[in-house]
Amino acid sequence: MPDGARILVARSPDRAADLVAALRGAGAEPLLLPLIDFELASDQHSLDVAFDALGAGAYAWLVVSSVTTVQALEAKAAERGTTLSRWLPGSLLVATIGPATRRFLESRGVAVDLAPTGQQSGTGLTEIWPEHQGSVLLPQADIADPRLRRGLESRGAFVQAVTAYRTVDYPADPGRSLAACLPAEPTGPGAPADTGADVLTPAQAKADIGAGRLDAVVAASPSAARRIHEDLAPLGGCRFVAIGRSTADEAESLGLAVAAVADKPTASGLVDAVIRSLAGRPSAPHQPAEETAAKDTV
C-alpha cells in the first residue's frame, strides 16, 4: 500500500477500531465516515414475544448474522435484569456468520455451535446447515436480505424471523438509539477502543473525493454501499472496496465500480483488499483541490 494512502472507512468509531489499527499498521491514514446507525425495532411487542419464547426453550436454534443483532438481544436481556448468556437455555444451539460476530458472542459467554468456514455469508451458512433441525429464531435488521431465511427453510427449518433493530441514517434519534439501551461496556482489556481517527461528514468526504484526496473507501454492508452512492458518487479515482460479495453486488447494481472484495470479512481481509485495489497506482502526493479539478474529467 502506498505510504500515507488516505482510506475512508464507512463505519462509526465504535465499530471501526480493529480496521483502523490494521490500516495504520499497513502504513495508511484511515478516516471515518459514519453513515448508518441503529434504532430500536418499531415492533417491540413481536420482539419481546420471540425473546421470551427463546428464553423458555421454544427454539432449537438461534441464528445471529451481525454484531448489531447481538446488541439488540443484549438490550432485551438487560430489560429483564439479566445477560444474554444467562437468558439462553442450555439446550439452544447457536449459529452465526463471520468471525467478528462469533468473537462478539463468545466474548459475551455465548458458545457458537455452527459457522461457515468457507464462504462467510448467509449462503455459506445455508450450505452447511443440517437438514430438518427444528425451529429457528432469526432476529434481523428491518432491511435484512430474505435469502438467509429462505435458504434455511429450503433445508427443512421452521424459521421465525423477527425484526431486532432498524437501520437508519447516522446519527440515530437519541430517544430510539439502540446504543443508548445497551448495558455498560466493560473497561480494561477487551473494551472498545478510541480509534483516534478523524471523523468526516458526508460533505467533507465528498469534497475530499472531488479533490483527489482519498484513495479508497471501504464499505462493510450493502446499506453502507447505498449511502456511499447517494452521498459521495461519483467516486472518480477513489477505489470502492467491499467487505463481501453482497456488499459488492449492491454497489455494482448502483453503478459503482468495485475495485476489490475482501476474501474474508475481517480487518486483515479488508486491508488486503485495499492493498489490491491500490496495486499499480503511482505513489504521488495528494494534490491541492484546484490542481486535481483541472485534471478531473468525470
Side-chain angles (χ1 to χ4, degrees):
M1 185 184 304
D3 191 41
R6 302 179 83 236
I7 311 302
L8 186 64
V9 178
R11 302 199 90 172
S12 55
D14 62 311
R15 293 168 180 266
D18 288 348
L19 181 52
V20 165
L23 286 167
R24 285 195 179 122
E29 178 189 349
L31 303 104
L32 300 180
L33 177 64
L35 290 175
I36 59 174
D37 208 345
F38 307 101
E39 293 182 356
L40 300 174
S42 299
D43 184 359
Q44 286 293 299
H45 175 72
S46 293
L47 181 57
D48 282 330
V49 170
F51 191 74
D52 288 338
L54 179 67
Y59 301 100
W61 284 88
L62 171 65
V63 174
V64 181
S65 58
S66 70
V67 168
T68 310
T69 300
V70 182
Q71 293 176 324
L73 297 180
E74 284 186 312
K76 282 297 161 191
E79 287 178 4
R80 289 152 177 79
T82 187
T83 64
L84 181 59
S85 62
R86 292 174 180 169
W87 185 260
L88 301 180
S91 59
L92 183 73
L93 297 171
V94 178
T96 189
I97 299 168
T101 306
R102 179 171 194 154
R103 287 195 302 269
F104 197 77
L105 279 165
E106 291 174 343
S107 75
R108 268 51 181 175
V110 178
V112 173
D113 301 285
L114 185 67
T117 56
Q119 184 178 358
Q120 296 172 2
S121 65
T123 300
L125 181 61
T126 299
E127 289 176 350
I128 64 170
W129 189 263
E131 291 189 354
H132 307 296
Q133 288 292 303
S135 57
V136 175
L137 179 62
L138 179 61
Q140 294 181 301
D142 59 324
I143 58 173
D145 191 320
R147 284 180 291 185
L148 175 55
R149 173 181 57 80
R150 293 170 183 166
L152 296 177
E153 289 174 340
S154 73
R155 302 284 288 179
F158 175 77
V159 181
Q160 174 66 49
V162 63
T163 298
Y165 61 93
R166 293 181 63 236
T167 305
V168 298
D169 290 348
Y170 185 91
D173 180 343
R176 300 285 303 169
S177 171
L178 175 60
C181 300
L182 295 176
E185 286 283 353
T187 57
D194 180 3
T195 66
D198 289 342
V199 178
L200 304 185
T201 66
Q204 290 170 328
K206 187 173 180 63
D208 276 2
I209 288 172
R213 291 193 293 264
L214 288 174
D215 295 286
V217 57
V218 177
S221 68
S223 53
R226 289 192 290 272
R227 285 296 309 278
I228 289 169
H229 174 261
E230 292 169 6
D231 295 347
L232 305 183
L235 297 183
C238 180
R239 307 298 180 90
F240 183 98
V241 176
I243 194 172
R245 193 64 254 169
S246 62
T247 299
D249 289 345
E250 182 68 19
E252 288 170 345
S253 74
L254 296 167
L256 294 174
V258 177
V261 181
D263 293 330
K264 294 183 178 179
T266 61
S268 60
L270 279 166
V271 170
D272 288 344
V274 170
I275 292 172
R276 292 200 309 273
S277 78
L278 300 179
R281 291 186 61 180
S283 181
H286 294 283
Q287 300 177 11
E290 55 272 19
E291 292 182 19
T292 305
K295 298 180 181 180
D296 189 3
T297 59
V298 177

